[in-house]
Amino acid sequence: LVRDDVFMHGCDNSIELLRHATVKRDVDVALCDNLMLPYRDGAWDYVMSIAVLHHMSTPERRLQALRELFRILRRHREGKLLLYVRSHERQDLIVKGAKLLNGDSQELLIPWNW
């Protein structure tokens, strides 16, 4: 791990991804669903959601996933959320001149307007 004083925990709904996460590191993981996370309110100082929301099938499910992320995050603006969203299907949203990340044609910068 990068730091000894940090507790790292990962969750996913894919057992294969969880197995992969623990191959090289002793990392705490849990099999769960982003729409109903098994953590108490305000449990985490930092939350990362990387390439998850675009898998949600409806705008309502995406909003529910966001609600869950904010629910488990520490309150009063002390907690930090890193949210990474991508969309291969919405080519019309791709920023003109955006650079590809890691050479992957599906990793494109898109605007996030709410």
Side-chain angles (χ1 to χ4, degrees):
L1 299 176
V2 177
R3 291 176 50 177
D4 292 333
D5 62 333
V6 174
F7 174 72
M8 292 180 22
H9 173 78
C11 63
D12 202 287
N13 67 350
S14 165
I15 193 72
E16 289 304 315
L17 285 176
L18 294 174
R19 283 187 186 127
H20 181 71
T22 60
V23 168
K24 294 183 180 179
R25 296 183 175 152
D26 184 21
V27 177
D28 185 59
V29 296
L31 183 66
C32 58
D33 184 344
N34 195 151
L35 298 176
M36 194 169 63
L37 295 169
Y39 310 111
R40 63 179 166 74
D41 295 357
W44 299 98
D45 296 326
Y46 301 95
V47 174
M48 292 175 27
S49 176
I50 300 175
V52 174
L53 285 182
H54 66 278
H55 291 292
M56 302 296 167
S57 58
T58 65
E60 292 78 21
R61 291 174 68 87
R62 291 176 181 179
L63 285 172
Q64 177 59 32
L66 286 171
R67 283 187 199 100
E68 278 295 283
L69 294 174
F70 281 107
R71 180 186 65 76
I72 66 170
L73 193 61
R74 190 187 327 168
R75 301 282 187 229
H76 308 297
R77 298 184 184 256
E78 293 177 13
K80 305 292 184 217
L81 171 65
L82 171 69
L83 182 65
Y84 174 79
V85 181
R86 62 183 176 181
S87 173
H88 181 64
E89 296 78 19
R90 294 294 310 270
Q91 295 293 320
D92 59 311
L93 292 178
I94 297 171
V95 174
K96 300 288 187 216
K99 295 184 179 180
L100 299 180
L101 304 175
N102 301 324
D104 184 344
S105 63
Q106 292 188 29
E107 300 272 351
L108 299 166
L109 178 64
I110 63 165
W112 185 256
N113 299 317
W114 282 82

